[in-house]
């Protein structure tokens, strides 16, 4: 009998905790929505964690708050829908409903059609480059 009471107490505590989380989520949704509509939304500071790399250096990892992740997810859905229409059908990198397997299938089809030119651009360090165009006087 004692273990059954303890189980019921744990279960009821869990249900209460889940209910409180749901209330906080709904409250957060309405507050963030109001801030976004009014133009007063300000992202919170990311939590910074340093993780070791294999070469002995440290890499800074920035973790956004849940509130900011929700806003980022909503913006991603909106912007993805807008820009997806402009992408070339042969573009596969980081696009929804596209996979590396589909990219390889596209390459196979192109090879069978005797297409041999490949253009690949990796922009990983593009923002690190300091462009200063030379002025022609």
């Amino acid at each position: 009998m004692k273990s059954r009471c303890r189980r019921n107490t744990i279960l009821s505590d869990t249900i209460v905790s889940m209910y409180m989380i749901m209330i906080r989520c709904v409250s957060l949704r309405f507050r963030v929505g109001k801030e976004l509509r009014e133009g007063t939304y300000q992202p919170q500071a990311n939590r910074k964690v340093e993780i070791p790399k294999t070469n002995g250096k440290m890499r800074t990892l920035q973790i956004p708050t849940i509130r900011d992740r929700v806003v980022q997810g909503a913006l991603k859905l909106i912007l993805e829908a807008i820009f997806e229409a402009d992408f070339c059908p042969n573009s596969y990198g980081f696009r929804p409903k596209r996979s590396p397997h589909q990219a390889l299938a596209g390459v196979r089809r192109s090879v069978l059609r005797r297409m041999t030119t490949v253009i690949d651009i990796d922009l990983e360090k593009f923002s690190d480059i300091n462009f200063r165009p030379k002025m022609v006087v």
Side-chain angles (χ1 to χ4, degrees), residues 42-108:
Q42 291 291 318
Q44 297 173 343
N46 290 343
R47 186 175 66 159
K48 293 182 182 181
V49 178
E50 290 197 345
I51 55 175
K53 292 171 71 174
T54 54
N55 63 4
K57 294 182 179 179
M58 298 297 274
R59 177 175 174 251
T60 302
L61 181 67
Q62 296 196 31
I63 305 167
T65 62
I66 292 174
R67 174 179 183 255
D68 292 339
R69 288 290 298 152
V70 168
V71 173
Q72 289 170 8
L75 284 174
K76 177 186 174 284
L77 291 174
I78 293 166
L79 293 175
E80 224 171 48
I82 293 169
F83 290 105
E84 187 64 25
D86 293 336
F87 277 116
C88 174
N90 297 327
S91 176
Y92 289 88
F94 301 103
R95 289 183 61 196
K97 299 177 184 168
R98 304 252 176 165
S99 70
H101 300 290
Q102 290 173 319
L104 286 173
V107 169
R108 269 190 232 107

Side-chain angles (χ1 to χ4, degrees), residues 90 106-116:
N90 297 327
V107 169
R108 269 190 232 107
R109 281 192 303 275
S110 296
V111 168
L112 290 173
R113 291 173 40 208
R114 304 219 184 262
M115 299 171 86
T116 57

